[in-house]
PDB file of all heavy atoms in Angstrom:
ATOM      1  N   VAL A  99    -183.838 -22.365  38.951  1.00  0.00           N
ATOM      2  CA  VAL A  99    -182.787 -22.377  39.967  1.00  0.00           C
ATOM      3  C   VAL A  99    -183.390 -22.976  41.237  1.00  0.00           C
ATOM      4  O   VAL A  99    -184.313 -22.404  41.824  1.00  0.00           O
ATOM      5  CB  VAL A  99    -182.277 -20.952  40.255  1.00  0.00           C
ATOM      6  CG1 VAL A  99    -181.177 -21.004  41.316  1.00  0.00           C
ATOM      7  CG2 VAL A  99    -181.774 -20.314  38.967  1.00  0.00           C
ATOM      8  N   PRO A 100    -182.898 -24.158  41.671  1.00  0.00           N
ATOM      9  CA  PRO A 100    -183.464 -24.785  42.877  1.00  0.00           C
ATOM     10  C   PRO A 100    -183.274 -23.883  44.098  1.00  0.00           C
ATOM     11  O   PRO A 100    -182.215 -23.285  44.280  1.00  0.00           O
ATOM     12  CB  PRO A 100    -182.636 -26.075  43.030  1.00  0.00           C
ATOM     13  CG  PRO A 100    -182.104 -26.357  41.654  1.00  0.00           C
ATOM     14  CD  PRO A 100    -181.863 -24.999  41.038  1.00  0.00           C
ATOM     15  N   THR A 101    -184.304 -23.781  44.917  1.00  0.00           N
ATOM     16  CA  THR A 101    -184.232 -22.978  46.139  1.00  0.00           C
ATOM     17  C   THR A 101    -183.729 -23.853  47.286  1.00  0.00           C
ATOM     18  O   THR A 101    -183.781 -25.075  47.209  1.00  0.00           O
ATOM     19  CB  THR A 101    -185.613 -22.413  46.503  1.00  0.00           C
ATOM     20  OG1 THR A 101    -186.560 -23.488  46.547  1.00  0.00           O
ATOM     21  CG2 THR A 101    -186.063 -21.398  45.484  1.00  0.00           C
ATOM     22  N   GLU A 102    -183.282 -23.212  48.361  1.00  0.00           N
ATOM     23  CA  GLU A 102    -182.689 -24.007  49.435  1.00  0.00           C
ATOM     24  C   GLU A 102    -183.721 -24.648  50.354  1.00  0.00           C
ATOM     25  O   GLU A 102    -183.411 -25.603  51.054  1.00  0.00           O
ATOM     26  CB  GLU A 102    -181.678 -23.154  50.209  1.00  0.00           C
ATOM     27  CG  GLU A 102    -180.582 -22.649  49.260  1.00  0.00           C
ATOM     28  CD  GLU A 102    -179.296 -22.229  49.962  1.00  0.00           C
ATOM     29  OE1 GLU A 102    -178.971 -22.807  51.020  1.00  0.00           O
ATOM     30  OE2 GLU A 102    -178.625 -21.321  49.444  1.00  0.00           O
ATOM     31  N   GLN A 103    -184.947 -24.126  50.369  1.00  0.00           N
ATOM     32  CA  GLN A 103    -185.978 -24.675  51.249  1.00  0.00           C
ATOM     33  C   GLN A 103    -187.273 -24.940  50.493  1.00  0.00           C
ATOM     34  O   GLN A 103    -188.267 -24.258  50.731  1.00  0.00           O
ATOM     35  CB  GLN A 103    -186.277 -23.685  52.393  1.00  0.00           C
ATOM     36  CG  GLN A 103    -185.117 -23.382  53.316  1.00  0.00           C
ATOM     37  CD  GLN A 103    -184.882 -24.499  54.334  1.00  0.00           C
ATOM     38  OE1 GLN A 103    -185.747 -25.331  54.559  1.00  0.00           O
ATOM     39  NE2 GLN A 103    -183.708 -24.526  54.933  1.00  0.00           N
ATOM     40  N   PRO A 104    -187.297 -25.932  49.608  1.00  0.00           N
ATOM     41  CA  PRO A 104    -188.548 -26.220  48.894  1.00  0.00           C
ATOM     42  C   PRO A 104    -189.616 -26.578  49.916  1.00  0.00           C
ATOM     43  O   PRO A 104    -189.359 -27.381  50.817  1.00  0.00           O
ATOM     44  CB  PRO A 104    -188.220 -27.445  48.038  1.00  0.00           C
ATOM     45  CG  PRO A 104    -186.745 -27.552  48.012  1.00  0.00           C
ATOM     46  CD  PRO A 104    -186.240 -26.899  49.263  1.00  0.00           C
ATOM     47  N   PHE A 105    -190.782 -25.978  49.819  1.00  0.00           N
ATOM     48  CA  PHE A 105    -191.816 -26.220  50.818  1.00  0.00           C
ATOM     49  C   PHE A 105    -193.031 -26.920  50.206  1.00  0.00           C
ATOM     50  O   PHE A 105    -193.444 -27.969  50.657  1.00  0.00           O
ATOM     51  CB  PHE A 105    -192.209 -24.894  51.463  1.00  0.00           C
ATOM     52  CG  PHE A 105    -193.221 -25.009  52.568  1.00  0.00           C
ATOM     53  CD1 PHE A 105    -192.970 -25.813  53.665  1.00  0.00           C
ATOM     54  CD2 PHE A 105    -194.425 -24.318  52.512  1.00  0.00           C
ATOM     55  CE1 PHE A 105    -193.912 -25.935  54.695  1.00  0.00           C
ATOM     56  CE2 PHE A 105    -195.363 -24.427  53.533  1.00  0.00           C
ATOM     57  CZ  PHE A 105    -195.103 -25.241  54.629  1.00  0.00           C
ATOM     58  N   PHE A 106    -193.563 -26.336  49.137  1.00  0.00           N
ATOM     59  CA  PHE A 106    -194.740 -26.994  48.553  1.00  0.00           C
ATOM     60  C   PHE A 106    -194.940 -26.671  47.080  1.00  0.00           C
ATOM     61  O   PHE A 106    -194.278 -25.799  46.520  1.00  0.00           O
ATOM     62  CB  PHE A 106    -196.003 -26.665  49.358  1.00  0.00           C
ATOM     63  CG  PHE A 106    -196.671 -25.363  48.977  1.00  0.00           C
ATOM     64  CD1 PHE A 106    -197.921 -25.365  48.354  1.00  0.00           C
ATOM     65  CD2 PHE A 106    -196.082 -24.149  49.250  1.00  0.00           C
ATOM     66  CE1 PHE A 106    -198.561 -24.180  48.004  1.00  0.00           C
ATOM     67  CE2 PHE A 106    -196.717 -22.945  48.909  1.00  0.00           C
ATOM     68  CZ  PHE A 106    -197.952 -22.976  48.282  1.00  0.00           C
TER      69      PHE A 106
END
Side-chain angles (χ1 to χ4, degrees):
Chain A
V99 180
T101 53
E102 301 201 31
Q103 298 282 343
F105 183 57
F106 85 112

